[in-house]
Amino acid sequence: MPPKTIQVKIPHQPQPIDGAITIPSDYTEEKAKNYSLVILTHGAGGDMNNDFLVKFAEALATDGILCLRFTCVSLNLAVRVKAFHAAIKFAQKSYPVQNVILSGRSMGSRAALQASIEAPQDCVGVLFLAYPLHRPDDQSNLRDKPLFDLCKPSLFVSGTSDAMNDLNLLRQTLKKMKHKDDVPPRFHFIDGGDHSFKVKGGKAANEKVTASVLAFCVNWCKQIFGIPTASGTAEEQSDEPLPKLSDKKRKRVSGEDGSLHVAGTDSPTKKSKTLESYFSKPKQHDSN
């Protein structure tokens, strides 16, 4: 049987929050402690029915993980964070699962980050979908400081053409972030992807990229939750063969110990490299 999605109202002031919980077909309240949950929200200007978020929720539930999506249209980060806490409280009462990962797209990932910092006991990891490290094409004011307070395992998914997340700046951010249990933050780059993870090549290319990214994210969540995967750990997963990286980009983003992965390439090998090597590149390739 396919996963089931139920529309819910999350208690909150001054008014309830619209939400949707997608649950595995075999979920029962009596066995809630055997399950895990991802709480997910959208970016500025969107809602919980964003196509990628809906597909992510369905992919998680298909693999036995609950997913609670919610809508908060406010552009005030503090309001978004309070909404996240309300969603967490609702989930704890209505779906008392074993572990929770917080996740969001763009501004929603900023809210997930802050919620995890304010209440670290409420989650076991944070998944960032297109974290906006800076304003579009403006790197004068980075949103990096809150990341340095994160003390949970994390995965960053970002397009290499994202105008709000310059890859060169990630080097400095990555090296400054805390490593939970000596596990560095993980990065999953989408070659040619923009802030919405869209790539050139039409519908077919984008569908393959989406499927690839969803598979990687689901397996990372399962790894954090301690759930066995069909093909081993998230580090051992292979993405779909599209899109291909150019030789120049392959040299630029080729970290291979599992902390960095590029959609559309072979899976990372087990050969360890230093963090410095993740971003090292010939001088002639300095431009992004």
Side-chain angles (χ1 to χ4, degrees):
M1 293 177 59
K4 180 171 62 174
T5 297
I6 304 170
Q7 302 299 313
V8 298
K9 290 290 185 180
I10 299 172
H12 189 53
Q13 295 296 332
Q15 61 185 17
I17 298 170
D18 290 331
I21 181 80
T22 302
I23 60 178
S25 58
D26 59 353
Y27 173 83
T28 61
E29 186 175 347
E30 293 76 17
K31 296 181 179 180
K33 287 296 183 182
N34 296 333
Y35 291 83
S36 294
L37 167 75
V38 173
I39 301 180
L40 182 62
T41 194
H42 56 91
D47 60 29
M48 67 178 179
N49 295 315
N50 171 277
D51 185 61
F52 183 88
L53 301 190
V54 172
K55 290 179 179 177
F56 188 21
E58 293 173 347
L60 286 164
T62 298
D63 254 321
I65 300 171
L66 285 77
C67 183
L68 173 62
R69 291 174 286 125
F70 69 90
T71 293
C72 181
V73 297
S74 175
L75 298 181
N76 183 299
L77 182 59
V79 172
R80 298 288 294 266
V81 174
K82 289 180 180 178
F84 231 117
H85 286 304
I88 294 170
K89 185 176 180 180
F90 169 80
Q92 291 172 337
K93 181 178 180 180
S94 302
Y95 300 91
V97 298
Q98 184 176 20
N99 291 308
V100 174
I101 284 175
L102 305 186
S103 181
R105 212 203 79 76
S106 194
M107 185 180 184
S109 68
R110 295 177 64 198
L113 168 63
Q114 192 59 37
S116 74
I117 293 172
E118 293 178 2
Q121 72 280 2
D122 288 340
C123 71
V124 295
V126 183
L127 199 167
F128 299 88
L129 301 170
Y131 182 79
L133 188 59
H134 51 77
R135 294 182 181 276
D137 299 315
D138 179 7
Q139 295 118 39
S140 61
N141 186 19
L142 297 184
R143 300 183 178 113
D144 57 351
K145 291 182 176 60
L147 293 171
F148 305 147
D149 294 324
L150 179 64
C151 60
K152 300 289 180 178
S154 58
L155 170 64
F156 291 76
V157 181
S158 182
T160 61
S161 296
D162 188 344
M164 301 180 73
N165 200 349
D166 182 82
L167 294 186
N168 293 323
L169 295 174
L170 287 178
R171 175 187 184 182
Q172 302 169 32
T173 303
L174 175 62
K175 292 175 70 173
K176 292 178 182 177
M177 286 180 65
K178 297 176 182 177
H179 292 177
K180 175 63 176 176
D181 297 328
D182 294 324
V183 178
R186 298 211 52 204
F187 288 82
H188 186 80
F189 291 118
I190 304 166
D191 185 46
D194 61 14
H195 192 59
S196 298
F197 301 160
K198 299 297 182 183
V199 300
K200 295 180 180 179
K203 182 178 179 181
N206 277 281
E207 286 179 347
K208 287 187 176 183
V209 167
T210 297
S212 170
V213 172
L214 289 176
F216 195 89
C217 289
V218 170
N219 277 288
W220 180 83
C221 290
K222 292 176 75 172
Q223 180 188 3
I224 298 303
F225 289 143
I227 302 172
T229 65
S231 303
T233 64
E235 286 88 351
E236 296 169 345
Q237 305 304 311
S238 294
D239 286 326
E240 295 293 335
L242 291 177
K244 292 294 185 181
L245 280 179
S246 66
D247 290 338
K248 289 184 179 180
K249 280 190 175 180
R250 191 177 298 279
K251 290 179 181 178
R252 289 185 57 197
V253 284
S254 59
E256 296 179 357
D257 74 346
S259 293
L260 182 151
H261 192 76
V262 184
T265 67
D266 295 331
S267 59
T269 68
K270 294 183 178 180
K271 181 180 179 181
S272 177
K273 291 192 175 185
T274 64
L275 295 179
E276 186 74 19
S277 71
Y278 288 176
F279 296 90
S280 63
K281 50 188 180 294
K283 291 184 179 180
Q284 61 265 35
H285 302 322
D286 284 344
S287 61
N288 183 28

